[in-house]
Amino acid sequence: MTNRLTKILWAGTLLLCGCTVAPFSLPTAASSASASAAVSPSVQAETDTSGFYYDQLNQNAQSLYTQLLAAADSGQHSVTFDQPASQSDFLCAMTAFSRDHPEVPGTSSWSWTGYQGGSLITQVSWQAGGDASDQMLQVQQAASQVISSNPDPDDPVSTMQYFYEWIIQNTDYGRSTYDQDIRSVFLDHVSVCNGYARAFKYLCDMAGIPCVVVEGTANNERHAWNLVTINGSTYWVDVTWGDPLYQEDDSGQALTYRYFCVPDELMLRTHTIDDGAGDPDSDNYVSDVFQYPSCTDWSLDYYVRDGSYFTSYDRMSVYQYFMNRFTAGQYDLALQFSLDVCQQAFDDLFSGDVPYMQTIMAGWFSGRVSCRYSTDPDTGVLEISFSQDGAQ
């Protein structure tokens, strides 16, 4: 045997999907690697550029990332690296590239070739589809219309809320051809969490709002959401979980803001960040790669800004809240209780022989009246909609 015969090509495929991950098997994949080979030891968590993940790569992985981006910018969907790359550097670079650049279609699904049992990678391709160039022009046009229709472009919080609402109101939760990238939202209007999160970042990028796609698990399933920076503070946003079609919400609300600009205290009760690169359910995975800043500020929480946040529960304060909203003609309502009192509030309002919500309804409505509601102990949010035959 000669040295040439030892360089047997090795092929692998990785599908990084939001909300679900397709399983795959590889012949002799390298074992799970430490991130020390692919991450700069001096990295600081930053959220002020679209290269959030690029900034956390070592020099070798950054070189691979740069080659990937150059190929994408020239309309290519594959790269032959200028020299073989370690699997660790490759997985870190490809993961970073995919998350930093939602405008590049198809990067959630990769195929690569290499040798030495897959420990050295020579080429990668991603599944953009034959009509990707024309489709992305249509995406740009659709997104530009969204941007130009923004009613308050000078306010970043209002702008993000507008993007959040637009995606939910114009997208059905479900499977579609390109549900792992932004074409599913802007063209098909049917997507899953990866499409929601990438579309939200795409719009934020266009508006100059620092935004990151984050992947991990929620409800024991693969999931994707976002991290945003406003005035130097960071917040979590989960557009998918704002969609009542995903939540199977029976409150009658058009959408929910439970996970819009929230701190760690709320988000990390239900969401677990994957800080690695590659597929965590396979041997092709590098652990402890990326760092994320803490989110501690409550000031942009939707219910705080709306005057619908209660740090304690007392009947008269809640009664007055409902009377004020009814007076303003509002009958689809959402309010939030702090986590330490929310269960007390929910129990008093809706349990027992005479739930206190009956007293609230009797204080305003005449004739037949009914309500539909949902309570969420993970966020302390109550969403409730009233319908009546007559009102005072």
Side-chain angles (χ1 to χ4, degrees):
M1 294 181 66
T2 68
N3 288 334
R4 286 188 61 189
L5 292 178
T6 66
K7 295 184 178 180
I8 300 172
L9 282 180
W10 181 93
T13 302
L14 181 61
L15 180 63
L16 291 184
C17 304
C19 302
T20 181
V21 174
F24 65 98
S25 59
L26 299 170
T28 55
S31 62
S32 193
S34 167
S36 60
V39 181
S40 168
S42 61
V43 66
Q44 297 293 322
E46 297 288 343
T47 53
D48 58 354
T49 73
S50 60
F52 174 85
Y53 291 104
Y54 171 85
D55 293 342
Q56 301 192 54
L57 300 175
N58 71 13
Q59 188 172 8
N60 291 336
Q62 286 184 343
S63 175
L64 300 176
Y65 181 116
T66 300
Q67 294 175 63
L68 292 165
L69 184 57
D73 285 345
S74 63
Q76 300 176 47
H77 306 138
S78 65
V79 175
T80 299
F81 296 120
D82 56 16
Q83 59 183 11
S86 72
Q87 187 188 67
S88 176
D89 286 340
F90 164 73
L91 289 173
C92 292
M94 194 67 203
T95 299
F97 170 68
S98 176
R99 294 182 188 174
D100 278 343
H101 293 281
E103 77 281 2
V104 180
T107 59
S108 290
S109 180
W110 334 322
S111 298
W112 67 87
T113 56
Y115 54 87
Q116 292 187 8
S119 62
L120 293 176
I121 310 299
T122 58
Q123 186 181 50
V124 63
S125 61
W126 53 94
Q127 300 176 8
D131 299 327
S133 296
D134 291 338
Q135 290 171 338
M136 290 310 297
L137 287 175
Q138 296 175 48
V139 166
Q140 291 172 19
Q141 293 171 354
S144 294
Q145 283 190 320
V146 176
I147 295 292
S148 64
S149 299
N150 181 7
D152 195 2
D154 295 328
D155 184 340
V157 179
S158 296
T159 294
M160 286 193 306
Q161 184 172 322
Y162 168 67
F163 295 159
Y164 179 94
E165 293 169 351
W166 187 92
I167 292 170
I168 293 171
Q169 292 166 354
N170 289 275
T171 310
D172 289 333
Y173 183 84
R175 287 294 182 187
S176 63
T177 303
Y178 301 110
D179 58 24
Q180 298 301 316
D181 69 50
I182 63 177
R183 289 173 291 182
S184 60
V185 171
F186 294 104
L187 301 184
D188 299 334
H189 302 289
V190 178
S191 192
V192 294
C193 59
N194 218 349
Y196 281 67
R198 289 169 183 262
F200 186 73
K201 173 173 168 55
Y202 184 66
L203 290 171
C204 286
D205 287 348
M206 294 180 70
I209 298 172
C211 182
V212 175
V213 173
V214 180
E215 296 184 13
T217 58
N219 289 341
N220 297 316
E221 295 182 349
R222 291 293 293 172
H223 192 54
W225 61 97
N226 297 98
L227 177 73
V228 297
T229 301
I230 300 294
N231 297 326
S233 295
T234 50
Y235 308 88
W236 300 109
V237 176
D238 189 338
V239 186
T240 309
W241 280 29
D243 192 334
L245 289 178
Y246 174 81
Q247 295 280 23
E248 299 181 349
D249 192 325
D250 195 39
S251 67
Q253 304 282 326
L255 51 79
T256 178
Y257 299 97
R258 298 176 200 174
Y259 293 92
F260 180 76
C261 287
V262 300
D264 293 346
E265 184 178 352
L266 292 188
M267 182 63 77
L268 300 186
R269 288 170 64 87
T270 52
H271 295 57
T272 301
I273 300 168
D274 175 9
D275 59 10
D279 181 359
D281 297 323
S282 80
D283 290 333
N284 297 278
Y285 182 69
V286 188
S287 61
D288 302 321
V289 177
F290 302 113
Q291 300 177 28
Y292 298 85
S294 297
C295 303
T296 58
D297 182 33
W298 278 84
S299 66
L300 298 188
D301 175 271
Y302 174 83
Y303 308 96
V304 172
R305 292 185 293 113
D306 186 56
S308 302
Y309 184 81
F310 294 82
T311 57
S312 61
Y313 178 71
D314 73 88
R315 286 183 164 187
M316 287 309 300
S317 295
V318 172
Y319 183 92
Q320 193 59 54
Y321 165 84
F322 279 98
M323 295 303 112
N324 290 341
R325 296 301 169 114
F326 294 156
T327 300
Q330 300 174 16
Y331 299 102
D332 296 325
L333 301 175
L335 55 158
Q336 184 177 40
F337 299 94
S338 61
L339 296 176
D340 57 334
V341 301
C342 67
Q343 196 59 56
Q344 175 193 355
F346 299 157
D347 289 345
D348 188 56
L349 288 167
F350 300 107
S351 299
D353 294 336
V354 183
Y356 189 60
M357 184 55 66
Q358 290 187 7
T359 301
I360 293 172
M361 293 161 67
W364 180 262
F365 297 102
S366 60
R368 285 182 58 87
V369 59
S370 62
C371 70
R372 298 169 58 192
Y373 68 94
S374 67
T375 58
D376 182 3
D378 287 321
T379 61
V381 171
L382 161 64
E383 292 164 346
I384 186 165
S385 297
F386 300 89
S387 59
Q388 73 288 334
D389 295 329
Q392 293 179 350

